[in-house]
Amino acid sequence: MKTAIFATLACGAAAFAPVNQVRSTTALNAAKGKPKLQYVPCISTADLPKPGSATSGVAGGLAICIAVDPKGAVYALGDKCPPVNQPLSFGKVDKDGTISDPVLGTKFDLKTGEVVSWCPTGLGKLIGGLFDPVGVPVYPVKAKGSVVEVQVDVNYKANFEAEYWSGILDAQGKANGKYY
């Protein structure tokens, strides 16, 4: 009986012991590039929203929320609201220097992207209670001629995608990521 108990305990402990595994992969290891910050066009100045609202754009492959506060100052933030990634550009820009998530009510500071109020609505409390408060990225923005430019890491998308698995069954059908 003691032997059976000892064997059960030993097997249970072995199940949680760390194991060194050698990973075999068919993935191509794409080299990551260094971050490269540069201003890139996002939207035209004619498409700037009226004060107190926001719109969306794309800069360097990233979804960007262009917000204009009631005084007319322009801000650029990431366009995905945590925790469920709905577009921040559908939100309302308030007089207190924040933009509100249109679904869960979270308020983000326009200058820093930090959370001012995390998921205060009924649905927000239910969903937001499962996650830690997380802000959104902010980007420098400027007008140049007839376009609004946002400073982003132009290598970000390529570096992010370098982490994707690429092999025999990749999305394009070829191991090198090219189309047929």
Side-chain angles (χ1 to χ4, degrees):
M1 182 69 172
K2 290 181 182 180
T3 307
I5 293 173
F6 179 74
T8 303
L9 290 174
C11 289
F16 295 102
V19 176
N20 291 333
Q21 293 180 345
V22 177
R23 234 193 251 189
S24 64
T25 180
T26 60
L28 297 175
N29 294 325
K32 282 190 169 188
K34 292 183 179 179
K36 182 180 178 186
L37 295 177
Q38 89 184 46
Y39 281 93
V40 294
C42 185
I43 63 170
S44 74
T45 53
D47 293 333
L48 271 173
K50 63 183 181 178
S53 58
T55 191
S56 62
V58 176
L62 301 174
I64 304 291
C65 169
I66 302 292
V68 181
D69 73 6
K71 297 176 185 173
V74 179
Y75 299 91
L77 302 96
D79 199 25
K80 302 293 182 195
C81 291
V84 292
N85 290 334
Q86 67 273 7
L88 185 59
S89 54
F90 293 163
K92 181 180 177 242
V93 180
D94 298 315
K95 292 179 184 176
D96 61 355
T98 62
I99 185 168
S100 300
D101 172 346
V103 176
L104 302 178
T106 300
K107 285 187 161 196
F108 300 96
D109 186 282
L110 289 170
K111 293 179 182 176
T112 65
E114 295 295 319
V115 174
V116 174
S117 173
W118 180 251
C119 300
T121 64
L123 179 62
K125 288 180 182 178
L126 180 67
I127 295 172
L130 302 172
F131 301 92
D132 291 330
V134 177
V136 294
V138 294
Y139 305 97
V141 63
K142 68 178 183 179
K144 183 176 180 184
S146 64
V147 296
V148 174
E149 293 186 338
V150 178
Q151 186 184 43
V152 296
D153 176 5
V154 294
N155 291 337
Y156 180 83
K157 185 177 177 186
N159 288 340
F160 178 79
E161 290 175 350
E163 296 294 321
Y164 277 75
W165 181 81
S166 177
I168 295 171
L169 300 175
D170 69 350
Q172 284 81 27
K174 290 178 73 178
N176 64 3
K178 302 290 182 188
Y179 292 98
Y180 283 102

